[in-house]
Each structure stands twice: as structure tokens, then as C-alpha cells.
Amino acid sequence: MKRLAVFICSLPVVLIRAAQIIDLPTISPSPKNASRILDRSLASLSIEFSYLPSFGGNLSSPNLLTKALMEQLLKRTGVGPDIRPGGITADSTQFNPNASALEFDESPSGGIWRTTYGPAYYESLSVFPISSKIVVDVNLGNNTVQFARDEIQAAVRYIGWDRIRALELGNEPDHFAGGSRPSTWASSDYTAQFLGWTSVLSRNLSLPHDIFQAGSFAEDPTSTAPMTTVSIIEEGVDSTGAIKIFSQHTYQYSTCDPARDAIATLPNLINHQNITAYLDLWKPQIAAAHAVGKEFVVGEYSSVSCSGKQNVTDTFGQALWLADTVLYGAFLNISRMYLHQGATLVLQSNQQANSPGFSWYDLWYPVETDRYGAARASPSFVAYLLITEAVGSSGKSQISLIPTPSHPQLAVYAIWDQSSLSRIAVLNLAIRNVTASDEEKEAAVVYINLSDYIEEGSTAKVKRMSAPGLDSKDSSAVTWAGQSYENGTASGVEVVETLEDGILSVQGSEGVLVFL
Ligand SMILES: *[C@@H]1O[C@H](CO)[C@@H](O)[C@H](O)[C@H]1NC(C)=O
Ligand SMILES: *[C@@H]1O[C@H](CO)[C@@H](O)[C@H](O)[C@H]1NC(C)=O
Ligand SMILES: *[C@@H]1O[C@H](CO)[C@@H](O)[C@H](O)[C@H]1NC(C)=O
Ligand SMILES: *[C@@H]1O[C@H](CO)[C@@H](O)[C@H](O)[C@H]1NC(C)=O
Ligand SMILES: *[C@@H]1O[C@H](CO)[C@@H](O)[C@H](O)[C@H]1NC(C)=O
Ligand SMILES: *[C@@H]1O[C@H](CO)[C@@H](O)[C@H](O)[C@H]1NC(C)=O
Ligand SMILES: *[C@@H]1O[C@H](CO)[C@@H](O)[C@H](O)[C@H]1NC(C)=O
Ligand SMILES: *[C@@H]1O[C@H](CO)[C@@H](O)[C@H](O)[C@H]1NC(C)=O
Ligand SMILES: *[C@@H]1O[C@H](CO)[C@@H](O)[C@H](O)[C@H]1NC(C)=O
Ligand SMILES: *[C@@H]1O[C@H](CO)[C@@H](O)[C@H](O)[C@H]1NC(C)=O
Ligand SMILES: *[C@@H]1O[C@H](CO)[C@@H](O)[C@H](O)[C@H]1NC(C)=O
């Protein structure tokens, strides 16, 4: 039986001075300045290739936490998230039909320099919903087309076309120069190799047209980026009809070196201006992909590269960062964003802050480990619940950012479903730490008058994404609609508030979704 507590929003409205209520611009009843139709798999996942079995388990021993968490997402949108087994380890993989699921060759310091996998590897994918599409990332780094051919052939055989979203060659090939490629390796070299390989592979394996996901570049697309969606399109990468999707990666902060490690702080991350200004860098890339009729995705992302940062990306703050990043990305017409789940790999950087192990930014820890303790959802998991409920299950929703320049730390998104205003997401990124005093808490609260959007005689429902504070690390204290999801199932009594008088309050470091 579903336990449901309906709370009448019992704010002391009399105490709210009119001046404290934030004036929102009028939100149009029909889509205005809105995105494309949102893909129900907007909130998708990338899982480090060599760690997929840790997350998925296998047929005889499926990872039940992963299964339960994925079912939470499926339940909200009607489809599973896309899964991309990929990342830096993909460029040193080799498929061998005689191999067991996974065989690592590790360096003395624990870095993985080669992964051999066999048919049983694919068993890990059965834990994800059958409707989850798979992005197949194959080895480009080794520069041996036969490796890529064998990997694609195996994926087609063991995953099947009905589940394959796209084929991807390599991971972050803009970082190959001076490593697996000569130091002169440039955009035009990538484009030439992409065209050569996709033509050989398409012929050899009779691949469908428009099946490749191109790019997967790491560098932010500033003027110094070695290669971008824009540069490879200019070079003719789309001239042969092989491409379905363009992909670039986004990592706003990093612990790969001390200078960037120093600024990867919660106050810098959880900042609406920083988040939007950063994603705005991709606008020309998104536009270039759309101009040639292709989707643009962020094929791998998180807040802090080189596996995140302790006390930053393992806090509830990461949930707020995720919610704002993904909703804003959707507004910019990014079709899907693949949140990376992984592990620290020694080969990422020789001066990084982290040592090997699962990443500090993972949405969940799939198995028990010394460093992280018991398997459980991390405090950021609830963000994927807010996002999937914002997207909904109709396959006909659109989103827009409603600007509130007088409150720079407030992010308000309108969601129209089947062309009518249906949901409003409000993220209050003002900091409310666990140790905040009552005065500090009060100063961070915002009030919004939504009564204009609530039809006469009907009531709006409110679900909150909340925690004791921005820096909370205890998943059992982090809630969505009053319930925590530490072990993948909703725990506690569901709390759905009713917005009787139309006045919504949102605490600092809290997100809400209003259902009109
Ligand atoms: C499935 O996983 C279990 C537990 O990790 C392991 O013992 C078993 O060998 C795996 N089976 C296959 C076919 O890889
Ligand atoms: C797999 O094993 C078979 C039978 O032992 C052998 O003929 C084949 O060469 C092996 N394939 C690879 C790629 O090792
Ligand atoms: C390619 O793979 C082979 C076999 O695993 C390995 O010896 C070689 O070092 C790899 N080359 C690169 C550039 O990764
Ligand atoms: C595809 O490549 C494989 C291995 O390189 C080769 O044996 C096979 O004949 C090729 N098939 C076609 C149709 O080109
Ligand atoms: C993030 O925001 C803070 C506060 O506005 C600012 O001081 C900082 O420079 C920003 N960081 C980056 C990397 O944009
Ligand atoms: C994170 O916080 C814990 C306890 O609060 C502390 O022991 C640890 O040193 C902190 N880690 C970093 C990287 O600041
Ligand atoms: C997103 O796509 C829609 C529909 O094509 C378009 O109207 C809108 O301007 C685009 N948004 C951005 C930020 O480019
Ligand atoms: C669309 O929304 C963006 C972001 O809030 C804003 O900068 C832009 O002015 C809006 N455009 C229109 C036509 O309303
Ligand atoms: C909240 O905690 C963070 C991280 O410990 C700290 O940097 C920040 O100054 C605190 N903010 C407030 C408003 O207390
Ligand atoms: C909220 O807006 C409605 C309609 O615009 C208005 O009648 C009402 O007085 C407002 N409430 C408050 C508390 O300002
Ligand atoms: C998860 O936790 C809840 C509440 O503590 C419990 O009822 C449920 O059995 C647990 N589920 C699993 C799969 O461990």
C-alpha cells in the first residue's frame, strides 16, 4: 500500500511581507521560448567501460541496487535511461570471444592499461530496463580498425539493433595527441580517420546509415579547443551519411591538477550563473549539429573531472548542480546528457588529487568498498527523480528557463506538456549549509506567488528535493517528496504538499517541482 501524506502548505503567510515575494515574469500558458520536445531519456548515464560489471552485475548475480534505482527512473518517464559503457578505458579494450566477462591488465599502481572482454560482459546490461538504449563505445585509441570491427560485431550480436542507440568511435579523441597519436594530431586528422573507418566498418559489417555518434570531445569548445563539432562539420565529417548524433563532454570543474582542484568548491559549483554561462559555451556546437539535421548530446558529464571531489561531489550540492545543469541543458536543446559513473583511473593524470577507487561524483555506489562503505544511492540520486518527473512520460513536453535576474541564485523552469503549462521547477541555489543558523536559513528562503497559474477550483501539488543542508552527505537524510532512496526503494512517508493559496516557499539549497 502506498503511504501518502498530503500536507496543506502551512506557511505563516501573514508573516510574509509582499516585498519578500519574488515577481516572476508572466509564464505563457502555451510554449514560449521553449525547447524542442524533450527526450524522455534526457537524464541518461555513461558508465566507465571497465566498471560496467561492477554496476550491472551479471545474469546469475545482477546488481539489485542498480536495478531498483533504474526502475525508479523508468517509472517516471516510461523509458529507461540510455546507458553508454564508455570512457577512457574504452580506448584500450579488445573483444575476445574466448574471454570471460572482463580481464584487466593493471599497472603496479592500479591503473588499467588494457581491458579484454568476452560475451559475458554484455550480461551486465540486462539489469537495465529493456527500453534503455545502449551507446556502443569502441576502441579508436589503439588505431587498429580490426579491434573496432570486432567490438561492433560483438555488440550487434549480444545487444542487438533494437537496443543500440548509436556506435561511438573512441573516447575524447581530442586528447590523443602525443599519446596514442602523434603530437600533430589535429581536427582534420580525426575527421579523415572517422570518414575512413566509418566507411570501412559500414561496408564490412553492413551497418545501417546514420548510426555513428561523432565527436565525444573532452575540451570545452573555446577558441583553443583542438577539435569541436563545428570544426569537424566544416571539414566534411558529415559528408557520407554515417552520423546520427554529435557528442561532446562537459566537466565544469576538475581535480586533475592543483590549480583547478582549488576552485572546485561547493559555492563555485552551486551557482546558477556559473552553470548557465558554462553550458552556453556549447550553443554554437548544438546549433551546428542541428543545422545538419543531427541530434546533439552531452555524451559524458559530471561536475568535477578526474573522478570528482570528496566533500563536494558526494554531497547534496551535487544534486542541485545536476538538476540545474540538466534542465538548462534541455532548454538549450541538448537531447540527452549522460552522467558518468566510474572510478578513478591512474592513467587520467599524473598529478590528480584522487587515488584509485569509485568516483566521488557517482550517483550510486553499486557495491561495498573500503572507501565508500556500503552499496547505496549517493545524495545526488534524487536529482534524477526531480528531472525525470519534470520531463514526464508523455513524450510531448518542452522546457524554458524563466529568467529572474533580481535573484541570480534562483533557477525557474516552466514545463509545458502537450503544449499546455503543466509543471514549474524551482531551484533555490542560495547556500543553506547543515550548520546554518535560523537567521541564515530564513535569509535564504524565497517565496513565489503562483496563484495566476492555478486554475480556479483546482490545487497545485508540490514535491520537494531537500536535505539538512547543501553539504549533507547522508543519503538517508536526503529526500524527494519526503522519501529517501538509499537502497533504491522509497523509504519513509511520501509528502506531497498542496498549494492552497498559491504561495510557494523554497528554502536555500532546495529544489521543488510544482504540478499545476
Ligand atoms: C557473475 O558474477 C558473479 C559475482 O561477481 C561471479 O562470481 C560470476 O563468475 C559471474 N558470472 C559470469 C558468467 O561472469
Ligand atoms: C578462441 O578459441 C578457439 C578454440 O580454442 C580458437 O580456435 C580461437 O583462435 C580463439 N580465438 C581467439 C580470438 O583467441
Ligand atoms: C594496441 O593494443 C596492443 C595489444 O593490446 C598493445 O600492445 C598496444 O600497446 C596498443 N597500442 C596503443 C597505441 O594503444
Ligand atoms: C570484414 O572483415 C573481416 C575481418 O577483417 C573479413 O574476414 C571479412 O571478409 C570482411 N567482410 C566483408 C563483407 O568485407
Ligand atoms: C563561480 O561563481 C563565483 C561566484 O559568482 C565566481 O567568483 C567564480 O569565479 C565562478 N567560477 C567560475 C570558474 O566561473
Ligand atoms: C572531508 O570531510 C571529512 C570529514 O568531515 C574529512 O575528514 C576529510 O579530510 C575531508 N576531505 C577533504 C578532501 O577535504
Ligand atoms: C530549441 O529548439 C526550438 C525548436 O527548434 C527553438 O525554437 C529554440 O529557439 C531552440 N532553443 C535554443 C536555446 O536555441
Ligand atoms: C529566451 O530565454 C533566454 C534565457 O532566459 C533569454 O535570454 C531570451 O531573451 C529569451 N528569448 C525570448 C525571445 O524570450
Ligand atoms: C557552507 O559550507 C561551504 C563548504 O564547507 C563553505 O565553503 C561555505 O562558506 C559555507 N557557506 C555558508 C553560507 O556558510
Ligand atoms: C498572488 O497573486 C494573486 C494574483 O495575482 C494576488 O491576487 C494575490 O494577492 C497575490 N498574493 C500575495 C500574498 O501577494
Ligand atoms: C530498503 O529499505 C527499506 C526501508 O528501510 C526496506 O523496507 C526495504 O526492504 C529495503 N529494500 C531493499 C531492497 O533492501
Side-chain angles (χ1 to χ4, degrees):
M1 197 186 76
K2 192 170 157 186
R3 285 181 297 170
L4 173 66
V6 176
F7 284 69
I8 306 299
C9 197
S10 58
L11 279 175
V13 172
V14 281
L15 300 180
I16 305 169
R17 281 166 287 129
Q20 284 180 295
I21 299 180
I22 290 174
D23 266 333
L24 278 190
T26 304
I27 305 177
S28 162
S30 58
K32 189 168 163 247
N33 199 16
S35 67
R36 301 175 148 201
I37 298 289
L38 298 176
D39 189 316
R40 286 184 293 162
S41 306
L42 168 66
S44 280
L45 297 161
S46 167
I47 300 180
E48 187 61 46
F49 192 95
S50 299
Y51 289 84
L52 179 70
S54 303
F55 283 87
N58 59 31
L59 284 177
S60 57
S61 183
N63 188 301
L64 296 176
L65 173 62
T66 300
K67 193 175 172 65
L69 292 170
M70 296 304 109
E71 276 164 11
Q72 293 296 343
L73 306 180
L74 171 66
K75 198 158 86 180
R76 287 166 167 83
T77 60
V79 295
D82 272 24
I83 305 299
R84 170 201 183 241
I88 196 165
T89 51
D91 280 312
S92 49
T93 53
Q94 213 176 332
F95 178 77
N96 183 329
N98 299 336
S100 65
L102 206 56
E103 293 167 14
F104 289 156
D105 290 292
E106 290 180 32
S107 66
S109 54
I112 294 168
W113 61 271
R114 184 168 58 203
T115 302
T116 307
Y117 63 105
Y121 176 84
Y122 299 99
E123 290 187 11
S124 301
L125 291 174
S126 46
V127 84
F128 299 98
I130 191 71
S131 54
S132 280
K133 297 278 187 198
I134 311 300
V135 176
V136 174
D137 189 14
V138 301
N139 189 338
L140 174 70
N142 197 277
N143 221 359
T144 309
V145 73
Q146 185 72 33
F147 285 8
R149 180 208 168 273
D150 293 350
E151 294 186 354
I152 293 172
Q153 185 183 49
V156 172
R157 176 160 174 198
Y158 295 108
I159 301 173
W161 283 119
D162 53 347
R163 229 184 160 196
I164 293 176
R165 170 78 69 187
L167 307 175
E168 186 173 52
L169 300 179
N171 176 72
E172 305 186 345
D174 53 334
H175 280 179
F176 284 1
S180 61
R181 297 293 187 281
S183 58
T184 54
W185 170 253
S187 185
S188 56
D189 299 313
Y190 169 83
T191 299
Q193 184 159 39
F194 183 90
L195 288 170
W197 276 33
T198 53
S199 118
V200 167
L201 294 166
S202 297
R203 213 174 324 114
N204 185 278
L205 295 166
S206 305
L207 300 177
H209 286 289
D210 301 325
I211 194 65
F212 285 93
Q213 178 159 302
S216 109
F217 302 134
E219 290 294 312
D220 296 347
T222 61
S223 58
T224 57
M227 49 193 86
T228 62
T229 297
V230 167
S231 75
I232 62 176
I233 288 176
E234 279 171 1
E235 289 153 5
V237 80
D238 190 41
S239 58
T240 57
I243 295 173
K244 180 179 190 178
I245 301 161
F246 286 91
S247 165
Q248 288 186 230
H249 298 175
T250 65
Y251 284 95
Q252 196 177 347
Y253 295 86
S254 181
T255 47
C256 295
D257 54 74
R260 287 186 293 167
D261 187 20
I263 59 165
T265 63
L266 276 174
N268 279 354
L269 256 77
I270 317 309
N271 178 296
H272 183 60
Q273 267 57 49
N274 289 16
I275 288 170
T276 57
Y278 181 68
L279 285 179
D280 282 345
L281 291 175
W282 275 264
K283 281 179 171 174
Q285 312 302 322
I286 302 163
H290 291 166
V292 294
K294 306 297 155 78
E295 283 188 316
F296 184 90
V297 301
V298 168
E300 187 188 310
Y301 79 105
S302 194
S303 52
V304 179
S305 72
C306 272
S307 290
K309 185 168 176 175
Q310 189 181 13
N311 302 338
V312 175
T313 60
D314 56 345
T315 69
F316 178 64
Q318 171 84 353
L320 290 162
W321 180 89
L322 274 174
D324 200 21
T325 293
V326 177
L327 295 180
Y328 190 70
F331 168 55
L332 297 186
N333 290 326
I334 297 170
S335 298
R336 290 173 298 284
M337 298 186 68
Y338 297 72
L339 182 64
H340 198 55
Q341 306 303 303
T344 308
L345 306 159
V346 165
L347 45 74
Q348 279 172 306
S349 154
N350 59 11
Q351 46 172 349
Q352 66 197 18
N354 292 315
S355 54
F358 283 115
S359 301
W360 293 111
Y361 54 53
D362 285 350
L363 204 60
W364 74 104
Y365 301 117
V367 293
E368 184 165 356
T369 53
D370 288 346
R371 186 192 287 173
Y372 299 99
R376 66 191 185 287
S378 76
S380 53
F381 178 74
V382 290
Y384 263 38
L385 299 180
L386 182 147
I387 296 163
T388 47
E389 290 197 28
V391 169
S393 60
S394 70
K396 291 179 181 152
S397 60
Q398 289 165 273
I399 192 167
S400 185
L401 178 73
I402 305 302
T404 53
S406 61
H407 288 78
Q409 284 300 70
L410 195 61
V412 180
Y413 295 92
I415 296 117
W416 295 269
D417 206 325
Q418 302 174 64
S419 291
S420 79
L421 182 62
S422 301
R423 299 181 279 285
I424 296 175
V426 182
L427 310 173
N428 182 359
L429 303 191
I431 292 179
R432 175 181 52 88
N433 282 340
V434 173
T435 55
S437 66
D438 287 348
E439 289 72 29
E440 284 168 334
K441 285 180 186 164
E442 185 52 38
V445 181
V446 297
Y447 300 95
I448 295 174
N449 187 349
L450 294 178
S451 55
D452 284 347
Y453 308 105
I454 302 169
E455 272 174 43
E456 196 71 38
S458 83
T459 50
K461 300 255 186 289
V462 177
K463 291 186 180 180
R464 281 179 204 274
M465 179 177 86
S466 203
L470 181 72
D471 45 355
S472 292
K473 294 204 284 185
D474 176 2
S475 307
S476 69
V478 170
T479 55
W480 168 248
Q483 296 174 302
S484 68
Y485 287 82
E486 202 178 5
N487 71 6
T489 54
S491 166
V493 179
E494 185 179 28
V495 178
V496 180
E497 296 161 32
T498 303
L499 211 55
E500 291 285 312
D501 52 16
I503 308 292
L504 175 74
S505 77
V506 189
Q507 294 190 87
S509 302
E510 187 174 76
V512 302
L513 189 59
V514 181
F515 299 80
L516 298 171

